[in-house]
Amino acid sequence: MMDTKLPLKYCLYARKSTESDERQAMSIGSQIKEMTTLAEREGLSIVEVKQESFSAKNSGFRPVFNEMLHGLRNGQFDAILTWAPDRLARNAGDLGSLVDLMDMNKLQHIRTYGQMFSNTPNEKFLLMILGSQAKLENDNRSINVKRGIRAKCEMGWRPGAAPIGYINRSFAGVKEIVLDEERAPIIKEMFERSGLLGQSGRTIKDWLDASDFKTKAGAQLSLSQIYRILTNPFYYGYFKYPEDGPLYKGLHTPIITKELYENVRARIDDIVPENKAAWGSKKFPFKHLFYCGSCGSRLTVEEHFKPLKDGTKRRHVYYRCTKSTKDPDCKEPSIKENGITEQILQMVDAGEFDDIEPTEKLFNEIEQYKRATSQLIKDYGIPTSERAHFKNYASYILKQGSLSEKDAFIRGLNVPLIVKDRRIYHY
């Protein structure tokens, strides 16, 4: 009899992280070239080629990978072609998603350069072992990195970019932090104006702007940046790493004395009323939960107050790109907090989250809300579909919930959310 079995529909997936742990990995272009050649040699049908530069350490945060999973679920593909198993998964969550799709017969075959994995117990077990091995390497690497960072701190060198007023310098293989001869005197005068002359942060900002003082990136200092400088112990020779970690003695040259620093800190603490939250302690929903659609960095939050004619102030909260991943000059515009809430509700209403798999915690919260409102729903004839329950819960949380409840709701959606041109997308 004629063999009527349809050929497998392969999705070629290539990935390379920009993180230091994958600098030696084959480039995306090389992965695609090698696997395309293999497909031609073995007669494999490639339906689509997908590629991305995202770390696979954490589950659910790779938009293109999630696109591929969606394509497998709806039958667009039924097989994967990739350079090696660790290109697909270096965490338990994504690995589990692949195995689940195999169990559902949605994913029938995975072909790597040196191995094949079909929907059989032994080959799925091998895939899980290789994926778990990649996760173990990640975990061990993380431990070693943290140990190395701690050792560097104990030696007196703060990891990462030097704060304004200093420059990272590498000479003959030795990395050090040296004074920025142009900006260090200005930083010192900022402390003197605050601690000795009693000037406010706003007055210091006006002076800096009038002096045309700019950061290394060519930007003016914001008021929050000024307070961050005035409360940073790095400038008198000590530093914390991370920000809530222990205090280390640095080997860099101090710009000010400890006495001047303590004078400034005491003055800042004195002008903060007891009933007002300390600077930097405010909490915002959605902080670090969204990704920039232009460069892949996370979004952070800024709070601004606009004076009105009647003497009051109007509060505005914006979320903007941290510019911390690839592009320090990322031009992605900021998005207002209320714009985020409105768009998430619109996405819920349009059914864009109908196919997601929420975390167990969010699922239980929705079920609890459904039970609590069941009588009201019955009395008033409110629609009782699963989408209606989800929509009602989302509306309640995003409009009336606490900061922690809003934060937990977005996290519970369990999908990466991308902001591009002030529009929110999910993969």
Side-chain angles (χ1 to χ4, degrees):
M1 294 180 61
M2 177 185 288
D3 185 7
T4 58
K5 186 176 180 180
L6 296 175
L8 294 174
K9 296 172 291 185
Y10 282 87
C11 174
L12 197 168
Y13 177 78
R15 179 189 68 81
K16 178 175 169 60
S17 173
T18 57
E19 297 183 6
S20 59
D21 62 325
E22 289 199 344
R23 285 178 181 168
Q24 304 304 316
M26 181 181 285
S27 69
I28 288 178
S30 297
Q31 292 177 46
I32 293 175
K33 180 181 178 181
E34 291 290 341
M35 299 315 294
T36 301
T37 301
L38 184 147
E40 292 174 351
R41 185 169 63 246
E42 298 186 0
L44 307 180
S45 174
I46 298 176
V47 176
E48 189 171 339
V49 176
K50 292 183 177 293
Q51 55 181 291
E52 66 182 333
S53 298
F54 264 90
S55 171
K57 288 182 179 179
N58 298 316
S59 174
F61 286 96
R62 286 180 287 162
V64 177
F65 179 81
N66 290 329
E67 280 182 5
M68 181 175 66
L69 293 183
H70 184 70
L72 290 165
R73 292 189 184 99
N74 64 25
Q76 185 179 357
F77 325 113
D78 53 18
I80 298 174
L81 189 64
T82 193
W83 173 252
D86 65 359
R87 299 301 87 199
L88 295 174
R90 299 177 74 92
N91 67 80
D94 289 342
L95 179 61
S97 297
L98 293 171
V99 175
D100 286 344
L101 286 168
M102 281 185 155
D103 290 339
M104 293 185 290
N105 222 24
K106 299 281 189 178
L107 174 56
Q108 298 184 33
H109 194 253
I110 296 176
R111 179 70 164 98
T112 70
Y113 189 79
Q115 293 168 298
M116 294 182 287
F117 305 93
S118 299
N119 188 15
T120 65
N122 287 340
E123 292 186 10
K124 284 189 293 187
F125 181 63
L126 177 59
L127 177 64
M128 293 178 70
I129 288 176
L130 293 174
S132 299
Q133 182 181 11
K135 179 177 179 357
L136 178 62
E137 291 174 357
N138 268 343
D139 292 344
N140 286 334
R141 186 179 291 113
S142 177
I143 291 172
N144 292 334
V145 167
K146 289 178 180 178
R147 185 184 296 120
I149 289 175
R150 187 167 59 251
K152 183 176 182 179
C153 289
E154 291 171 350
M155 291 171 60
W157 295 115
R158 181 188 181 280
I164 187 167
Y166 290 88
I167 298 174
N168 293 94
R169 186 175 69 180
S170 179
F171 181 74
V174 178
K175 296 182 180 180
E176 57 182 349
I177 299 174
V178 299
L179 288 173
D180 181 338
E181 299 295 342
E182 177 186 351
R183 296 177 178 85
I186 306 298
I187 299 297
K188 182 179 180 180
E189 187 170 348
M190 286 172 59
F191 277 92
E192 292 172 342
R193 284 174 174 265
S194 176
L196 302 181
L197 301 181
Q199 293 184 357
S200 67
R202 174 61 64 183
T203 300
I204 293 174
K205 175 170 172 52
D206 291 342
W207 164 68
L208 289 171
D209 292 348
S211 304
D212 199 31
F213 178 81
K214 299 289 180 62
T215 66
K216 286 179 285 187
Q220 292 181 333
L221 285 178
S222 67
L223 189 58
S224 62
Q225 287 175 309
I226 290 171
Y227 277 111
R228 195 172 295 118
I229 289 171
L230 295 176
T231 54
N232 189 347
F234 193 90
Y235 294 102
Y236 79 86
Y238 284 75
F239 65 90
K240 286 187 176 183
Y241 194 88
E243 289 186 7
D244 59 350
L247 192 67
Y248 297 96
K249 187 179 187 310
L251 292 178
H252 59 281
T253 302
I255 291 178
I256 60 170
T257 65
K258 183 179 180 182
E259 289 73 22
L260 178 56
Y261 172 82
E262 290 178 342
N263 188 13
V264 172
R265 279 308 304 259
R267 183 177 172 280
I268 290 175
D269 292 341
D270 284 343
I271 64 176
V272 177
E274 291 184 2
N275 61 349
K276 183 178 179 181
W279 180 86
S281 66
K282 291 187 178 180
K283 304 297 182 183
F284 300 89
F286 318 138
K287 187 176 182 180
H288 298 319
L289 292 183
F290 292 83
Y291 289 84
C292 172
S294 296
C295 73
S297 300
R298 289 182 185 269
L299 265 60
T300 189
V301 61
E302 287 185 351
E303 182 182 41
H304 298 276
F305 293 89
K306 182 179 179 180
L308 301 178
K309 291 182 179 179
D310 60 3
T312 61
K313 294 182 179 180
R314 179 175 295 165
R315 179 176 178 268
H316 298 275
V317 177
Y318 298 89
Y319 289 77
R320 63 166 181 81
C321 177
T322 58
K323 306 179 182 181
S324 60
T325 301
K326 300 178 186 176
D327 185 6
D329 299 316
C330 179
K331 304 301 183 183
E332 183 65 32
S334 59
I335 180 173
K336 290 184 178 180
E337 182 178 273
N338 58 355
I340 290 178
T341 303
E342 291 171 2
Q343 287 193 53
I344 294 294
L345 286 172
Q346 290 170 4
M347 294 169 74
V348 170
D349 194 38
E352 294 190 33
F353 297 111
D354 286 0
D355 295 329
I356 70 165
E357 297 179 3
T359 62
E360 183 179 357
K361 181 179 179 181
L362 178 58
F363 177 82
N364 291 336
E365 292 287 345
I366 296 172
E367 289 297 305
Q368 183 178 354
Y369 176 81
K370 183 165 54 176
R371 289 192 296 270
T373 58
S374 58
Q375 189 59 47
L376 184 65
I377 289 173
K378 182 178 180 181
D379 292 344
Y380 289 90
I382 300 173
T384 56
S385 67
E386 287 302 317
R387 177 187 290 185
H389 286 304
F390 179 62
K391 177 183 174 181
N392 292 337
Y393 177 79
S395 178
Y396 168 72
I397 290 297
L398 294 176
K399 291 181 179 179
Q400 304 178 44
S402 65
L403 297 183
S404 60
E405 287 173 332
K406 292 178 181 180
D407 189 87
F409 175 77
I410 297 297
R411 292 183 187 277
L413 293 176
N414 208 24
V415 293
L417 294 168
I418 314 298
V419 177
K420 176 68 175 174
D421 296 326
R422 297 194 176 98
R423 298 298 303 173
I424 299 174
Y425 305 89
H426 83 86
Y427 293 95

